[in-house]
Coordinates of all heavy atoms in Angstrom, one line a residue:
M1 N -21.4 -18.9 -122.0 CA -20.9 -17.4 -122.3 C -19.4 -17.5 -122.2 O -18.8 -18.0 -121.4 CB -21.5 -16.5 -121.3 CG -21.1 -15.1 -121.4 SD -21.6 -14.0 -120.1 CE -23.4 -14.0 -120.5
K2 N -18.9 -16.7 -123.3 CA -17.4 -16.6 -123.3 C -16.9 -15.6 -122.2 O -17.4 -14.5 -122.1 CB -17.0 -16.2 -124.6 CG -16.8 -17.3 -125.6 CD -15.4 -17.6 -125.7 CE -15.0 -18.7 -126.7 NZ -15.5 -20.0 -126.2
T3 N -16.0 -15.9 -121.5 CA -15.4 -15.0 -120.5 C -13.9 -14.9 -120.7 O -13.2 -15.9 -120.9 CB -15.6 -15.6 -119.1 OG1 -17.0 -15.9 -118.9 CG2 -15.2 -14.5 -118.1
S4 N -13.4 -13.7 -120.7 CA -11.9 -13.6 -120.9 C -11.3 -13.7 -119.5 O -11.9 -13.4 -118.5 CB -11.5 -12.1 -121.4 OG -11.8 -11.2 -120.5
P5 N -10.0 -14.2 -119.5 CA -9.4 -14.4 -118.2 C -9.4 -13.2 -117.3 O -9.6 -13.3 -116.1 CB -8.0 -14.8 -118.6 CG -8.1 -15.4 -119.9 CD -9.2 -14.6 -120.6
S6 N -9.2 -12.0 -117.9 CA -9.2 -10.8 -117.0 C -10.6 -10.5 -116.4 O -10.6 -10.0 -115.2 CB -8.7 -9.6 -117.8 OG -9.7 -9.3 -118.9
I7 N -11.5 -10.9 -117.1 CA -13.0 -10.6 -116.6 C -13.2 -11.6 -115.4 O -13.7 -11.4 -114.4 CB -14.0 -10.8 -117.6 CG1 -13.9 -9.5 -118.5 CG2 -15.5 -10.9 -117.0 CD1 -14.9 -9.6 -119.8
C8 N -12.8 -12.9 -115.7 CA -12.9 -14.0 -114.7 C -12.3 -13.6 -113.4 O -12.8 -13.7 -112.3 CB -12.3 -15.2 -115.3 SG -12.4 -16.7 -114.1
R9 N -11.1 -13.1 -113.5 CA -10.3 -12.7 -112.3 C -10.9 -11.5 -111.6 O -10.8 -11.5 -110.4 CB -8.8 -12.3 -112.7 CG -7.8 -13.4 -112.6 CD -6.5 -12.8 -112.5 NE -6.1 -11.9 -113.6 CZ -5.7 -12.2 -114.8 NH1 -5.5 -13.5 -115.1 NH2 -5.4 -11.3 -115.8
R10 N -11.5 -10.6 -112.3 CA -12.1 -9.5 -111.6 C -13.4 -9.8 -111.0 O -13.7 -9.1 -110.1 CB -12.3 -8.4 -112.7 CG -12.2 -7.0 -112.3 CD -12.1 -6.0 -113.5 NE -13.1 -6.2 -114.4 CZ -13.0 -6.1 -115.7 NH1 -11.8 -5.9 -116.3 NH2 -14.1 -6.3 -116.5
K11 N -14.1 -10.6 -111.5 CA -15.5 -11.0 -111.0 C -15.4 -11.8 -109.8 O -14.5 -12.5 -109.5 CB -16.3 -11.7 -112.0 CG -16.8 -10.8 -113.1 CD -17.5 -11.6 -114.2 CE -18.2 -10.6 -115.3 NZ -19.6 -10.5 -115.0
A12 N -16.6 -11.6 -109.0 CA -16.7 -12.6 -107.8 C -17.1 -13.8 -108.3 O -17.8 -14.0 -109.3 CB -17.9 -11.9 -107.0
R13 N -16.6 -14.9 -107.6 CA -16.9 -16.3 -108.0 C -17.7 -17.0 -107.1 O -17.5 -16.8 -105.9 CB -15.5 -17.1 -108.1 CG -14.8 -16.7 -109.5 CD -13.3 -17.1 -109.4 NE -13.1 -18.4 -109.1 CZ -11.9 -19.0 -109.1 NH1 -10.9 -18.4 -109.3 NH2 -11.9 -20.4 -108.8
Y14 N -18.7 -17.7 -107.4 CA -19.6 -18.5 -106.6 C -19.4 -19.9 -106.9 O -19.5 -20.3 -108.1 CB -21.0 -18.0 -106.7 CG -21.2 -16.5 -106.4 CD1 -21.1 -15.7 -107.6 CD2 -21.2 -15.9 -105.2 CE1 -21.2 -14.3 -107.3 CE2 -21.1 -14.7 -105.0 CZ -21.2 -13.7 -106.1 OH -21.2 -12.4 -105.8
S15 N -19.3 -20.7 -105.9 CA -19.2 -22.2 -106.2 C -20.4 -22.9 -106.5 O -20.3 -24.1 -107.0 CB -18.4 -22.8 -104.9 OG -19.3 -22.5 -103.8
S16 N -21.5 -22.2 -106.4 CA -22.8 -22.9 -106.8 C -23.8 -21.9 -107.5 O -23.7 -20.8 -107.1 CB -23.5 -23.7 -105.7 OG -24.0 -22.7 -104.7
R17 N -24.5 -22.4 -108.3 CA -25.6 -21.7 -108.9 C -26.4 -21.0 -107.9 O -26.8 -19.8 -108.0 CB -26.3 -22.4 -110.0 CG -27.3 -21.5 -110.8 CD -28.0 -22.4 -111.8 NE -27.0 -22.7 -113.0 CZ -26.8 -21.8 -114.0 NH1 -27.5 -20.6 -114.1 NH2 -25.9 -22.0 -115.0
D18 N -26.8 -21.7 -106.9 CA -27.7 -21.2 -105.9 C -27.1 -20.1 -105.1 O -27.8 -19.1 -104.8 CB -28.1 -22.4 -104.9 CG -29.2 -23.3 -105.4 OD1 -29.7 -23.0 -106.5 OD2 -29.4 -24.3 -104.7
A19 N -25.8 -20.2 -104.8 CA -25.1 -19.1 -104.0 C -25.1 -17.9 -104.9 O -25.4 -16.8 -104.4 CB -23.8 -19.5 -103.7
A20 N -24.8 -17.9 -106.1 CA -24.7 -16.8 -107.1 C -26.1 -16.2 -107.2 O -26.3 -15.0 -107.2 CB -24.2 -17.2 -108.5
E21 N -27.1 -17.0 -107.3 CA -28.5 -16.6 -107.5 C -29.1 -15.8 -106.3 O -29.7 -14.9 -106.4 CB -29.4 -17.7 -107.9 CG -30.6 -17.2 -108.7 CD -31.3 -18.3 -109.6 OE1 -32.1 -19.0 -109.1 OE2 -30.9 -18.4 -110.7
S22 N -28.6 -16.3 -105.1 CA -29.2 -15.6 -104.0 C -28.5 -14.3 -103.8 O -29.1 -13.3 -103.4 CB -29.0 -16.5 -102.7 OG -27.7 -16.4 -102.3
V23 N -27.2 -14.0 -104.3 CA -26.6 -12.8 -104.2 C -27.4 -11.9 -105.4 O -27.6 -10.7 -105.0 CB -25.1 -12.9 -104.6 CG1 -24.5 -11.5 -104.9 CG2 -24.4 -13.6 -103.4
A24 N -27.6 -12.4 -106.5 CA -28.3 -11.7 -107.5 C -29.6 -11.2 -107.1 O -30.1 -10.1 -107.4 CB -28.4 -12.5 -108.7
Q25 N -30.4 -12.1 -106.3 CA -31.6 -11.7 -105.7 C -31.5 -10.6 -104.8 O -32.4 -9.6 -104.8 CB -32.3 -12.9 -105.1 CG -33.7 -12.6 -104.7 CD -34.5 -13.9 -104.2 OE1 -33.9 -15.0 -104.1 NE2 -35.6 -13.8 -103.8
G26 N -30.6 -10.5 -104.0 CA -30.5 -9.5 -103.0 C -30.2 -8.1 -103.7 O -30.7 -7.1 -103.3
V27 N -29.4 -8.2 -104.8 CA -29.1 -7.0 -105.5 C -30.3 -6.5 -106.2 O -30.6 -5.3 -106.3 CB -27.9 -7.2 -106.5 CG1 -27.8 -6.1 -107.6 CG2 -26.7 -7.5 -105.9
F28 N -31.0 -7.4 -106.7 CA -32.3 -7.1 -107.5 C -33.3 -6.5 -106.5 O -33.9 -5.4 -106.9 CB -32.9 -8.4 -108.1 CG -34.2 -8.1 -108.8 CD1 -34.3 -7.3 -110.0 CD2 -35.4 -8.7 -108.3 CE1 -35.4 -7.2 -110.6 CE2 -36.6 -8.5 -108.9 CZ -36.6 -7.7 -110.1
E29 N -33.4 -6.9 -105.3 CA -34.4 -6.4 -104.4 C -34.0 -5.1 -103.8 O -34.8 -4.2 -103.5 CB -34.6 -7.4 -103.2 CG -35.5 -8.5 -103.7 CD -35.6 -9.7 -102.7 OE1 -35.0 -9.7 -101.7 OE2 -36.3 -10.7 -103.2
R30 N -32.7 -4.8 -103.7 CA -32.1 -3.6 -103.1 C -32.1 -2.6 -104.2 O -32.3 -1.4 -103.9 CB -30.7 -4.0 -102.5 CG -30.3 -2.9 -101.5 CD -29.0 -3.3 -100.8 NE -28.0 -3.5 -101.8 CZ -27.3 -4.6 -102.0 NH1 -27.5 -5.6 -101.2 NH2 -26.4 -4.8 -103.0
D31 N -31.4 -2.9 -105.4 CA -31.2 -1.9 -106.2 C -32.0 -2.0 -107.6 O -31.7 -1.2 -108.5 CB -29.7 -1.9 -106.7 CG -28.7 -1.9 -105.5 OD1 -29.1 -1.1 -104.6 OD2 -27.8 -2.5 -105.4
A32 N -32.8 -3.1 -107.6 CA -33.5 -3.2 -108.9 C -32.7 -3.5 -110.2 O -33.0 -3.1 -111.2 CB -34.6 -2.2 -109.2
L33 N -31.6 -4.1 -109.8 CA -30.6 -4.3 -110.9 C -30.7 -5.8 -111.2 O -30.6 -6.7 -110.4 CB -29.2 -4.0 -110.3 CG -28.1 -3.8 -111.2 CD1 -28.3 -2.5 -112.0 CD2 -26.7 -3.7 -110.4
K34 N -30.9 -5.9 -112.7 CA -31.1 -7.3 -113.0 C -29.7 -8.0 -113.3 O -29.0 -7.6 -114.2 CB -32.0 -7.3 -114.2 CG -33.5 -7.0 -113.9 CD -34.3 -7.0 -115.1 CE -35.7 -6.5 -114.7 NZ -36.6 -6.3 -115.8
L35 N -29.4 -9.1 -112.6 CA -28.3 -9.8 -112.9 C -28.6 -11.3 -113.3 O -29.6 -11.8 -112.8 CB -27.4 -9.8 -111.7 CG -26.8 -8.5 -111.3 CD1 -26.1 -8.6 -109.9 CD2 -25.9 -7.8 -112.2
R36 N -27.8 -11.8 -114.0 CA -27.8 -13.2 -114.5 C -26.7 -14.0 -114.0 O -25.6 -13.6 -114.0 CB -28.1 -13.4 -115.9 CG -29.3 -12.7 -116.4 CD -30.5 -13.5 -116.1 NE -31.8 -12.9 -116.5 CZ -32.4 -12.0 -115.9 NH1 -32.0 -11.5 -114.7 NH2 -33.5 -11.4 -116.4
V37 N -27.0 -15.3 -113.7 CA -25.8 -16.1 -113.3 C -25.4 -17.0 -114.5 O -26.3 -17.4 -115.3 CB -26.4 -17.1 -112.2 CG1 -25.4 -18.3 -111.7 CG2 -26.9 -16.4 -110.9
Y38 N -24.1 -17.1 -114.6 CA -23.7 -18.0 -115.7 C -22.5 -18.8 -115.2 O -21.8 -18.4 -114.3 CB -23.4 -17.3 -116.9 CG -22.1 -16.3 -116.8 CD1 -20.9 -16.7 -117.3 CD2 -22.3 -15.0 -116.2 CE1 -19.8 -15.9 -117.2 CE2 -21.2 -14.2 -116.2 CZ -20.0 -14.6 -116.7 OH -18.9 -13.8 -116.6
A39 N -22.4 -20.0 -115.7 CA -21.3 -20.9 -115.5 C -20.0 -20.4 -116.3 O -20.1 -20.3 -117.6 CB -21.7 -22.3 -115.8
C40 N -18.9 -20.2 -115.5 CA -17.7 -19.7 -116.3 C -17.0 -21.0 -116.9 O -16.7 -21.9 -116.0 CB -16.9 -19.0 -115.4 SG -15.3 -18.4 -116.0
E41 N -16.6 -21.0 -118.2 CA -15.9 -22.0 -118.6 C -14.4 -22.1 -118.2 O -13.6 -23.1 -118.4 CB -15.9 -22.1 -120.1 CG -16.3 -20.8 -120.8 CD -16.5 -21.0 -122.3 OE1 -17.4 -21.6 -122.7 OE2 -15.6 -20.5 -123.1
L42 N -13.9 -21.0 -117.7 CA -12.4 -20.9 -117.3 C -12.3 -21.5 -115.9 O -11.4 -22.3 -115.7 CB -12.0 -19.5 -117.4 CG -11.9 -18.9 -118.7 CD1 -11.6 -17.3 -118.7 CD2 -10.9 -19.6 -119.6
C43 N -13.0 -20.9 -114.9 CA -12.8 -21.3 -113.5 C -13.8 -22.3 -113.0 O -13.6 -23.0 -112.0 CB -12.8 -20.1 -112.6 SG -14.5 -19.3 -112.4
R44 N -14.8 -22.6 -113.9 CA -15.8 -23.6 -113.5 C -16.7 -23.3 -112.4 O -17.3 -24.0 -111.9 CB -15.1 -25.0 -113.3 CG -14.2 -25.5 -114.4 CD -15.0 -26.2 -115.4 NE -14.2 -26.6 -116.5 CZ -14.7 -27.2 -117.6 NH1 -16.0 -27.5 -117.7 NH2 -14.0 -27.3 -118.7
D45 N -16.5 -22.1 -111.9 CA -17.4 -21.5 -110.9 C -18.5 -20.6 -111.7 O -18.6 -20.6 -112.8 CB -16.7 -20.6 -109.9 CG -15.9 -21.5 -109.0 OD1 -16.3 -22.7 -108.7 OD2 -14.9 -21.0 -108.4
F46 N -19.3 -19.9 -110.8 CA -20.4 -19.1 -111.4 C -20.1 -17.6 -111.1 O -19.5 -17.3 -110.1 CB -21.7 -19.5 -110.7 CG -22.1 -20.9 -111.1 CD1 -21.7 -21.9 -110.3 CD2 -22.8 -21.2 -112.1 CE1 -22.0 -23.3 -110.6 CE2 -23.3 -22.5 -112.5 CZ -22.8 -23.5 -111.8
H47 N -20.4 -16.9 -112.2 CA -20.4 -15.4 -112.0 C -21.6 -14.8 -112.3 O -22.7 -15.4 -112.8 CB -19.4 -14.8 -113.1 CG -17.9 -15.3 -113.0 ND1 -17.1 -15.1 -111.9 CD2 -17.1 -15.9 -114.0 CE1 -16.0 -15.7 -112.2 NE2 -16.0 -16.1 -113.3
L48 N -21.7 -13.5 -111.9 CA -22.9 -12.7 -112.3 C -22.6 -11.8 -113.4 O -21.5 -11.2 -113.4 CB -23.3 -11.9 -111.1 CG -23.7 -12.7 -109.9 CD1 -24.1 -11.8 -108.7 CD2 -25.0 -13.6 -110.1
T49 N -23.6 -11.6 -114.2 CA -23.5 -10.5 -115.3 C -24.7 -9.7 -115.4 O -25.7 -10.2 -115.1 CB -23.2 -11.3 -116.7 OG1 -23.1 -10.4 -117.8 CG2 -24.3 -12.3 -117.0
S50 N -24.5 -8.5 -115.9 CA -25.6 -7.7 -116.1 C -26.2 -7.8 -117.4 O -27.2 -7.1 -118.0 CB -25.3 -6.1 -115.8 OG -24.1 -5.8 -116.6
R51 N -25.5 -8.6 -118.4 CA -26.0 -8.8 -119.7 C -27.1 -9.8 -119.6 O -26.9 -11.0 -119.4 CB -25.0 -9.3 -120.7 CG -24.0 -8.1 -121.0 CD -22.9 -8.6 -121.9 NE -23.5 -9.4 -123.0 CZ -22.7 -10.1 -124.0 NH1 -21.5 -10.1 -123.9 NH2 -23.3 -10.8 -124.9
T52 N -28.4 -9.4 -119.8 CA -29.6 -10.3 -119.6 C -30.1 -10.8 -120.9 O -31.0 -11.8 -120.8 CB -30.7 -9.5 -118.8 OG1 -31.0 -8.5 -119.7 CG2 -30.3 -9.0 -117.4
K53 N -29.6 -10.3 -122.0 CA -30.1 -10.8 -123.3 C -30.0 -12.4 -123.5 O -28.9 -12.8 -123.3 CB -29.4 -10.1 -124.4 CG -30.1 -10.0 -125.7 CD -29.5 -8.9 -126.6 CE -30.4 -9.0 -127.9 NZ -29.5 -9.5 -129.0
G54 N -31.1 -13.0 -123.8 CA -31.0 -14.3 -124.1 C -30.8 -15.3 -122.9 O -30.8 -16.4 -122.9
M55 N -30.8 -14.6 -121.7 CA -30.7 -15.4 -120.4 C -32.1 -15.7 -119.9 O -32.9 -15.0 -120.0 CB -29.9 -14.7 -119.4 CG -28.4 -14.2 -120.0 SD -27.3 -15.7 -120.0 CE -26.3 -15.4 -118.6
K56 N -32.2 -16.9 -119.2 CA -33.4 -17.2 -118.6 C -33.7 -16.3 -117.4 O -33.0 -15.9 -116.6 CB -33.2 -18.6 -118.0 CG -34.5 -19.3 -117.4 CD -34.2 -20.8 -117.1 CE -35.4 -21.4 -116.3 NZ -35.4 -20.7 -114.9
V57 N -35.0 -15.8 -117.4 CA -35.4 -14.9 -116.2 C -35.6 -15.7 -114.9 O -36.3 -16.7 -114.8 CB -36.7 -14.2 -116.6 CG1 -37.2 -13.3 -115.4 CG2 -36.6 -13.5 -117.8
P58 N -34.8 -15.3 -113.9 CA -35.0 -16.1 -112.6 C -36.4 -15.9 -112.0 O -37.0 -14.9 -112.3 CB -33.9 -15.5 -111.8 CG -33.6 -14.2 -112.4 CD -33.9 -14.3 -113.8
A59 N -36.6 -16.9 -111.2 CA -38.0 -17.0 -110.5 C -38.3 -15.8 -109.7 O -39.5 -15.3 -109.8 CB -38.0 -18.2 -109.6
Y60 N -37.4 -15.2 -109.0 CA -37.5 -14.1 -108.1 C -38.0 -12.9 -109.0 O -38.7 -12.0 -108.4 CB -36.4 -13.7 -107.2 CG -35.1 -13.6 -108.0 CD1 -34.8 -12.2 -108.3 CD2 -34.1 -14.5 -107.9 CE1 -33.7 -11.9 -109.1 CE2 -32.9 -14.2 -108.6 CZ -32.7 -12.9 -109.1 OH -31.5 -12.7 -109.7
E61 N -37.5 -12.7 -110.2 CA -37.8 -11.6 -111.0 C -39.3 -11.8 -111.6 O -40.1 -10.8 -111.6 CB -36.9 -11.4 -112.2 CG -35.6 -10.6 -111.8 CD -34.8 -10.4 -113.0 OE1 -35.3 -10.3 -114.2 OE2 -33.6 -10.3 -112.9
L62 N -39.6 -12.9 -111.9 CA -41.0 -13.2 -112.3 C -42.0 -12.9 -111.2 O -43.0 -12.4 -111.4 CB -41.2 -14.7 -112.7 CG -40.5 -15.0 -114.0 CD1 -40.4 -16.6 -114.2 CD2 -41.0 -14.3 -115.3
E63 N -41.6 -13.3 -110.0 CA -42.4 -13.1 -108.7 C -42.6 -11.6 -108.6 O -43.7 -11.2 -108.3 CB -41.7 -13.6 -107.5 CG -42.4 -13.8 -106.3 CD -43.5 -14.8 -106.5 OE1 -43.4 -15.9 -107.1 OE2 -44.6 -14.6 -105.9
Q64 N -41.6 -10.8 -108.6 CA -41.7 -9.4 -108.5 C -42.6 -8.7 -109.5 O -43.4 -7.9 -109.3 CB -40.2 -8.8 -108.7 CG -40.1 -7.3 -108.5 CD -39.9 -7.0 -107.1 OE1 -39.9 -7.8 -106.1 NE2 -39.4 -5.7 -106.8
F65 N -42.6 -9.2 -110.8 CA -43.3 -8.8 -111.9 C -44.8 -9.1 -111.6 O -45.7 -8.3 -111.9 CB -42.9 -9.5 -113.1 CG -43.5 -9.0 -114.3 CD1 -43.2 -7.7 -115.0 CD2 -44.5 -9.8 -115.1 CE1 -43.8 -7.3 -116.1 CE2 -45.2 -9.2 -116.2 CZ -44.7 -8.0 -116.7
R66 N -45.1 -10.3 -111.1 CA -46.6 -10.7 -110.8 C -47.1 -9.8 -109.7 O -48.3 -9.6 -109.6 CB -46.6 -12.2 -110.4 CG -46.6 -13.1 -111.6 CD -47.1 -14.4 -111.2 NE -46.2 -15.1 -110.4 CZ -45.3 -15.9 -110.8 NH1 -45.1 -16.1 -112.1 NH2 -44.5 -16.5 -109.9
R67 N -46.2 -9.4 -108.7 CA -46.8 -8.7 -107.5 C -47.2 -7.2 -107.9 O -48.0 -6.7 -107.1 CB -45.6 -8.6 -106.4 CG -45.8 -9.7 -105.3 CD -44.8 -9.5 -104.2 NE -43.7 -10.3 -104.6 CZ -42.4 -10.1 -104.2 NH1 -42.1 -9.0 -103.5 NH2 -41.4 -10.9 -104.4
K68 N -46.7 -6.6 -109.0 CA -46.9 -5.3 -109.3 C -48.3 -5.2 -109.9 O -48.8 -6.1 -110.7 CB -45.9 -4.8 -110.2 CG -44.7 -4.3 -109.5 CD -43.5 -3.8 -110.4 CE -42.4 -3.5 -109.5 NZ -41.2 -3.5 -110.3
Ligands
LIG101 ZN1 -14.5 -17.5 -114.1

């Protein structure tokens, strides 16, 4: 995903996909807000985005879906 430098600076950075995903999971469980993790080509870390189009659905969201 293309990220502009201003967006990169503004966003929280996570050094691993796992770390970013556990934050996304917490937000999802608390606020039902769907976030996706993506690797930033500028800082080489990971950010979260609310743009879910075309992104892989994480396991915890599928889990939630099955439970309902
Ligand atoms: Zn970045």
Side-chain angles (χ1 to χ4, degrees):
M1 178 185 291
K2 274 261 182 283
T3 307
S4 74
S6 66
I7 288 172
C8 178
R9 265 199 306 275
R10 208 167 55 220
K11 281 179 175 255
R13 284 160 59 177
Y14 305 94
S15 55
S16 75
R17 183 174 288 275
D18 278 356
E21 204 156 88
S22 73
V23 171
Q25 182 170 4
V27 171
F28 178 68
E29 284 168 0
R30 202 176 54 235
D31 303 326
L33 203 65
K34 291 179 181 175
L35 299 173
R36 293 291 180 272
V37 177
Y38 67 97
C40 178
E41 27 183 65
L42 293 173
C43 65
R44 305 273 172 185
D45 282 338
F46 295 89
H47 298 301
L48 297 175
T49 179
S50 54
R51 283 181 50 184
T52 58
K53 199 161 178 253
M55 304 283 258
K56 189 175 168 289
V57 178
Y60 59 82
E61 274 185 29
L62 293 172
E63 194 63 36
Q64 184 90 345
F65 187 71
R66 275 197 297 268
R67 260 184 267 148
K68 275 175 188 163

